Amino acid sequence: MSKYSVLPQNVSERDFDAAIQEFTAILGADKVLTTADKLLPYGKIMMAVDTAEHAASAVLLATTVEQIQAIVRVCNTYKVPIWTISTGRNFGYGSAAPVERGQVILDLRLMNKILHVDPELCTALVEPGVTYQQLYDYIEENKLPLMLSFSAPSAIAGPLGNTMDRGVGYTPYGEHFLMQCGMEVVLPNGEVLRTGMGSVKGDKAWQVFKWGYGPTLDGMFTQSNYGICTKMGFWLMPKPPVFKPFEIQFDEESDISDIVEMLRPLRIAQIIPNSVVIAGTLWEAATCNTRRSDYMSTPGATPDSVLKQIQKDKHLGAWNVYAALYGTPEQVEVNWKIVTDVIKKAGKGRIITQEDAGDTQPFKYRAQLMSGVPNLQEFGLYNWRGGGGSMWFAPVSQARGSECEKQMKLAKTILNKHGLDYVGEFIVGWRDMHHVIDVLFDRSNPEETARANACFSELLDEFEKEGYAVYRVNTAFQERVAQSYGPVKRDLERTLKRALDPNGILAPGKCGINI
């Protein structure tokens, strides 16, 4: 019987003992966690699979780049795999738990320094553990005229981890990887690489010029296991003189096609500059503390008749569009006329302004997200069915009405077939739509948990048949999604992995990448 609750794959207890001793010499005993009670917060939370499949063998709390370099060298000696987290709050995509049982978690949340913020160039450089709330507080306390962009719920997540997973936000700077500028990365052999202009000694353009010289490397470190990002630069939006959020409500589910056709030209032309959200009834109701048990107690999918009743009771649309205008008073006035003229011409959709909505939810938290104020309002989603099960299904489509309607109908049919609800929203990129669906289930109910797992598998299968792949997925399904992108891409990723990390110590299996 091992003294450890889990051992890393293919690592003997004797070798793991030796590795733990060396980790302790590097970090100190209080930063090396191996007992079950200390590992509990790092367990799998919301995915519909056995917790044991994603159990960690130990947790290491590093505070410096030099410590990470030393840890990587120990891992190479004993072939110990490590799974890196920044804040570890990526709940719907797998939380802090490793992709494979037995991996050692390298927790970087104590590396939480805001290294530099330049209010003139509108740039920032941060460590992995910096949260959006921390950065927001820094900007407010120092009265800097800057605006953040983040996902929701945002306060406890951080810019480095979100960008490395290619997350999106709700402001004009909502495509976060596009706004990233300069990384510092510890490579699998322990060397430190700075991307872009960062490799040039004395250069001051690391956070302002993305490309540097030669191949651009930043992208290969996102959604991968080729290095450990220890610093990241990114661009911040200057706070505009005028911020004008608004909502447009549409009554019928079938309106989705017209909505997308109406918004796409405005978004591509930057009349509406931010990442517009088109949220369904249940998404908005759940974030405002509406529970399924308020309306029905029988199992299965929620009938359309009940959705209509919720719509009426909570003053929601079947689709609720949130967008904002930013700029000088003159700019906002001109663009507001263009937007309202388009809506009038369409002949459908109710416009709700901030003056109309006041402090009512969900308008209030949506406006906060679009103006760079972090909040945790969307945690309400997890109370819709109760039991806290959640897996994000995120297929990408073209920004065409017909494509979005097809995806919505396909997702709803599959979810309802498994007795679950369609709780979804579309986030409008420049030419794409992130279709984000929260597969909610009661994880205290084994039968419903099994159904949720089967449902997620079917969503992946049926969407792939229609040519729709997901851009991001929880750790339980990363190998499955990697298969959908084909053998050529996988072979190239494996070639890079073998060249950079011949012992396969950095997060083997992440995004389906192995040696």
Side-chain angles (χ1 to χ4, degrees):
M1 182 103 180
S2 172
K3 67 167 79 67
Y4 303 104
S5 54
V6 186
L7 279 171
Q9 290 181 29
N10 305 316
V11 177
S12 68
E13 182 165 337
R14 187 179 65 177
D15 280 354
F16 197 50
D17 268 340
I20 291 292
Q21 285 181 19
E22 294 195 36
F23 292 145
T24 303
I26 296 165
L27 301 173
D30 63 329
K31 300 291 192 299
V32 179
L33 316 179
T34 58
T35 59
D37 60 324
K38 298 289 186 184
L39 298 183
L40 192 60
Y42 296 88
K44 183 272 298 180
I45 300 176
M46 293 175 168
M47 296 185 298
V49 293
D50 188 349
T51 301
E53 294 176 20
H54 297 273
S57 54
V59 172
L60 309 178
L61 291 148
T63 54
T64 69
V65 174
E66 291 75 17
Q67 288 178 348
I68 295 172
Q69 291 178 276
I71 288 167
V72 165
R73 291 179 183 122
V74 173
C75 290
N76 274 302
T77 300
Y78 299 101
K79 312 294 189 291
V80 172
I82 50 175
W83 174 260
T84 304
I85 61 172
S86 48
T87 64
R89 305 303 176 91
N90 198 7
F91 291 117
Y93 289 110
S95 61
V99 67
E100 292 178 358
R101 177 179 169 81
Q103 294 179 344
V104 173
I105 294 177
L106 176 61
D107 183 348
L108 304 184
R109 66 186 156 90
L110 299 181
M111 295 177 68
N112 60 357
K113 295 188 192 70
I114 299 169
L115 298 167
H116 184 62
V117 175
D118 189 318
E120 294 175 348
L121 293 170
C122 303
T123 64
L125 180 68
V126 299
E127 289 189 328
V130 171
T131 65
Y132 284 117
Q133 185 68 55
Q134 184 185 348
L135 191 53
Y136 174 79
D137 291 343
Y138 177 90
I139 289 171
E140 290 298 301
E141 288 164 9
N142 289 281
K143 302 185 189 312
L144 303 179
L146 299 169
M147 181 183 285
L148 289 176
S149 176
F150 34 67
S151 57
S154 46
I156 55 178
L160 189 146
N162 183 270
T163 304
M164 293 300 283
D165 272 344
R166 297 210 288 269
V168 297
Y170 302 91
T171 73
Y173 280 36
E175 184 59 79
H176 292 167
F177 180 55
L178 192 64
M179 300 302 161
Q180 176 271 333
C181 192
M183 292 181 187
E184 179 184 85
V185 181
V186 176
L187 298 174
N189 64 2
E191 292 180 340
V192 176
L193 168 74
R194 289 189 172 185
T195 65
M197 305 300 284
S199 293
V200 179
K201 191 174 181 180
D203 189 90
K204 294 182 174 60
W206 192 22
Q207 268 71 71
V208 296
F209 184 63
K210 294 162 70 76
W211 314 118
Y213 180 75
T216 301
L217 301 173
D218 303 62
M220 68 180 278
F221 295 109
T222 64
Q223 291 195 355
S224 75
N225 49 16
Y226 299 140
I228 299 169
C229 187
T230 50
K231 292 181 182 66
M232 179 179 285
F234 56 97
W235 296 338
L236 298 164
M237 181 177 162
K239 193 175 284 185
V242 176
F243 164 68
K244 184 177 181 64
F246 60 96
E247 179 185 3
I248 318 167
Q249 290 188 349
F250 295 83
D251 289 332
E252 303 301 327
E253 208 171 65
S254 58
D255 288 335
I256 184 64
S257 185
D258 290 340
I259 296 169
V260 175
E261 291 301 311
M262 183 171 60
L263 290 176
R264 184 186 57 243
L266 297 172
R267 181 72 179 97
I268 290 178
Q270 295 283 288
I271 302 299
I272 296 177
N274 71 320
S275 305
V276 178
V277 167
I278 309 169
T281 301
L282 283 188
W283 191 297
E284 295 308 87
T287 57
C288 297
N289 303 316
T290 305
R291 298 180 181 221
R292 189 173 182 277
S293 57
D294 297 339
Y295 285 87
M296 56 190 302
S297 57
T298 53
T302 305
D304 285 348
S305 59
V306 174
L307 297 184
K308 278 293 178 192
Q309 190 60 49
I310 294 172
Q311 227 178 289
K312 182 180 175 185
D313 293 347
K314 305 299 177 183
H315 309 292
L316 295 168
W319 295 107
N320 306 272
V321 177
Y322 299 94
L325 302 179
Y326 306 74
T328 64
E330 296 81 7
Q331 287 174 308
V332 169
E333 184 180 351
V334 168
N335 287 336
W336 181 242
K337 183 174 187 315
I338 295 171
V339 170
T340 51
D341 284 351
V342 168
I343 296 167
K344 284 176 189 169
K345 187 178 177 184
K348 62 171 74 173
R350 291 185 301 282
I351 300 175
I352 300 169
T353 64
Q354 191 160 34
E355 292 73 25
D356 300 327
D359 278 341
T360 59
Q361 295 286 20
F363 188 100
K364 181 179 179 181
Y365 95 90
R366 291 285 186 184
Q368 287 178 327
L369 292 178
M370 292 187 289
S371 67
V373 180
N375 62 71
L376 296 173
Q377 186 71 26
E378 282 199 358
F379 273 114
L381 286 168
Y382 306 131
N383 295 323
W384 167 245
R385 293 190 83 88
S390 166
M391 295 185 290
W392 297 102
F393 179 66
V396 176
S397 85
Q398 294 178 326
R400 295 187 194 280
S402 57
E403 290 288 289
C404 295
E405 184 173 8
K406 181 180 172 182
Q407 282 205 2
M408 184 273 293
K409 287 180 176 176
L410 182 59
K412 185 173 179 178
T413 299
I414 295 169
L415 282 153
N416 288 178
K417 172 186 159 187
H418 290 274
L420 302 172
D421 294 321
Y422 173 78
V423 183
E425 69 175 11
F426 290 94
I427 303 176
V428 186
W430 278 350
R431 291 160 179 82
D432 67 280
M433 302 289 282
H434 286 49
H435 187 186
V436 182
I437 300 160
D438 200 351
V439 179
L440 295 166
F441 61 97
D442 180 356
R443 61 193 169 105
S444 69
N445 180 336
E447 189 276 331
E448 187 163 306
T449 300
R451 266 192 287 121
N453 197 36
C455 177
F456 205 92
S457 293
E458 187 170 343
L459 285 166
L460 288 169
D461 291 343
E462 296 305 313
F463 271 66
E464 185 180 349
K465 287 176 187 173
E466 297 296 329
Y468 301 129
V470 303
Y471 84 102
R472 193 178 178 194
V473 74
N474 67 65
T475 46
F477 288 93
Q478 290 190 350
E479 168 59 28
R480 166 67 186 86
V481 170
Q483 292 170 13
S484 67
Y485 282 82
V488 175
K489 181 172 183 291
R490 300 203 75 187
D491 285 348
L492 176 61
E493 290 168 348
R494 191 176 298 115
T495 299
L496 290 170
K497 183 67 173 171
R498 286 172 176 165
L500 292 170
D501 185 11
N503 291 319
I505 57 148
L506 295 194
K510 182 177 172 65
C511 294
I513 304 171
N514 265 302
I515 57 173

